Amino acid sequence: MLLLSLINPEVAYYLMKILTFDFVVVGSGLAGLIAAYHAADYGSVALISKSELDISNSYHAQGGIAAAIGEDDHPREHFEDTLVAGRNLCDHDAVSLLVEEGLDRVRELISQGMEFDKDSDGKLILGLEGGHSKRRILHADGDATGKMMTSFMLRKVLDKPEITTFEYCAALKIIVEDNICKGIQTLQYIDGENIIFNGKAIILATGGLSRLYSRSTNPYTATGDGIALAWQAGAKLADMEFIQFHPTALSLPGEDAYLISEAVRGEGAHLLDVNGVRFMTQVHPLAELAPRDIVASAIFKRMQQTGESVFLSLRHLDNQTLADRFHSIDSHLKTFGINLLEDLIPVAPAAHYMVGGIRTDIWGQTSIQALFACGEVASTGVMGANRLASNSLLECLVWGKRAVQKAKNLPVNPPLTTAQKSVRLNSDTDQEYLEIKNELANIMSNQVGIVRDAKGLQSALSRIESIAGQYKDPGPDYNYHKILNITDICRIITRSALERKESRGGHIRTDYPSEIDEQLHHIIQEKGKEIQYETVRTS
């Protein structure tokens, strides 16, 4: 890369390649694919992925997609279930859009050729999951819904000549001038080249951050890059204390967490402790189908009480078709000598979904002009304090399209007026990054996990601050930039958890065990500013 000009004579800058598109979509999960697909109707699109296009949380989603499509169902009931699961912290306008436009988006997808599972009469098979009052979960190929939906949309995206894809391309910096997003700087893993993507709208669909925890169901790429970069650029973040732990992830010594879909409990599976006691009937009227925050905390407490694992059991069901229905799970369990239908399956909660994120309006617009966010990276107001099962893919469909509907009307961005510092790959610091990442993952799991208190949170924050202080100026080293990102996110989560002095949804404080109804607010963080409260939108 040639040193061509110096905009600031005191600092050496490299003039990088600038690629200009009408829309730049960062992330290739379902939200990113939906956004790119719709944006292609209005101009050229760059679709950027940190790894391969088909590696994302969406791709691994087993459960399905929720929509009030059944004859005995209605969006209003879906609305109410979402509010209950979200512990009343949901913005009502956003939830209304989710359940009403979401139904339209699902029907639109079906009309385009997406095939969901049907019975012998050709009717959609609708599953039941925790927190839902009706069977409204659509599945594709049994427990491979995410794979089928993302693969379907990826094929449609690749058929669009207006879309250019960039794999193994990591986002480094969101470039903002005068509170207008002008572009995004990236690093190509293949050759180390820095490229600036310029467009009239940058749409972040970078997914979640649950790989910041030591036990997670997410792919290793889910480290919260998009949220960190938005924070560093000055965007508002909301409700970062709410991390959803999936109640039932396979728990075997030395093995990674593997999701056992909530749909398994929807078909009647029981949770048993080491003594064979079905304990969820004592916890909630819906037993195993209570909202996820309740089931996860109940499992955690029972494991603490007994000192042993909790088990998922299908033995009582006597339903051989379930092995076909959950063929992916069945196949994975067999590699460990576990029979889905006959054996007790050891499970424990694992970090699964970022409920908070980059704060947006109902169009996916962030607090920075021309910067949008959709999918798990965003806090649209839909999820509240706890995500209702299978609402995440629906949110991708709705806000992937809504972001484009707003972005298409934006004017062309003025050209950049500042150059950017280049960042380089450096394998010599790979081990340093991994050691710090692992230390932070243990801190987050042990002190900022399912159950929290002020003492543990303060201890975690102190250590995170200490690590962050060593990397506040990362220079040109990419690994140091990654360390800056994860320390920023861990610190933001911990500060938000300290600020919310109540227990609500996925945020459980042993020192503040009750919900406080007069504190129905979002916690907003913005770089360089004091923590703010934002009233929940109820009209």
Side-chain angles (χ1 to χ4, degrees), residues 348-394:
H352 181 63
Y353 190 88
M354 179 66 229
V355 175
I358 306 167
R359 186 60 166 154
T360 75
D361 65 11
I362 59 172
W363 294 98
Q365 171 74 61
T366 72
S367 56
I368 297 173
Q369 187 177 334
L371 179 66
F372 294 78
C374 56
E376 190 174 351
V377 74
S379 177
T380 61
V382 160
M383 301 304 177
N386 173 61
R387 174 173 69 91
L388 179 63
S390 291
N391 267 356
S392 53
L393 294 180
L394 192 67

Side-chain angles (χ1 to χ4, degrees), residues 227 230-231 235-240 357-359 492 523-525:
I227 298 175
W231 158 262
K236 291 181 179 180
L237 307 184
D239 299 334
M240 293 292 290
I358 306 167
R359 186 60 166 154
I492 291 163
I523 291 179
I524 306 296
Q525 295 191 67

Side-chain angles (χ1 to χ4, degrees), residues 188-251:
Q188 288 195 315
Y189 287 143
I190 304 300
D191 57 13
E193 184 176 21
N194 283 223
I195 301 174
I196 291 174
F197 288 86
N198 186 28
K200 67 179 182 179
I202 308 297
I203 302 174
L204 295 179
T206 50
L209 50 73
S210 290
R211 269 294 165 184
L212 294 181
Y213 286 80
S214 57
R215 178 172 162 79
S216 172
T217 62
N218 288 191
Y220 285 94
T221 53
T223 52
D225 297 343
I227 298 175
L229 297 182
W231 158 262
Q232 292 157 14
K236 291 181 179 180
L237 307 184
D239 299 334
M240 293 292 290
E241 68 274 26
F242 295 117
I243 311 294
Q244 185 176 81
F245 285 77
H246 196 287
T248 53
L250 184 64
S251 181

Side-chain angles (χ1 to χ4, degrees), residues 42 101 105 363 398 400-409:
Y42 306 103
E101 290 190 9
R105 296 290 80 78
W363 294 98
V398 173
K401 184 170 185 176
R402 287 187 72 84
V404 172
Q405 288 174 322
K406 182 69 175 288
K408 70 182 183 181
N409 298 318

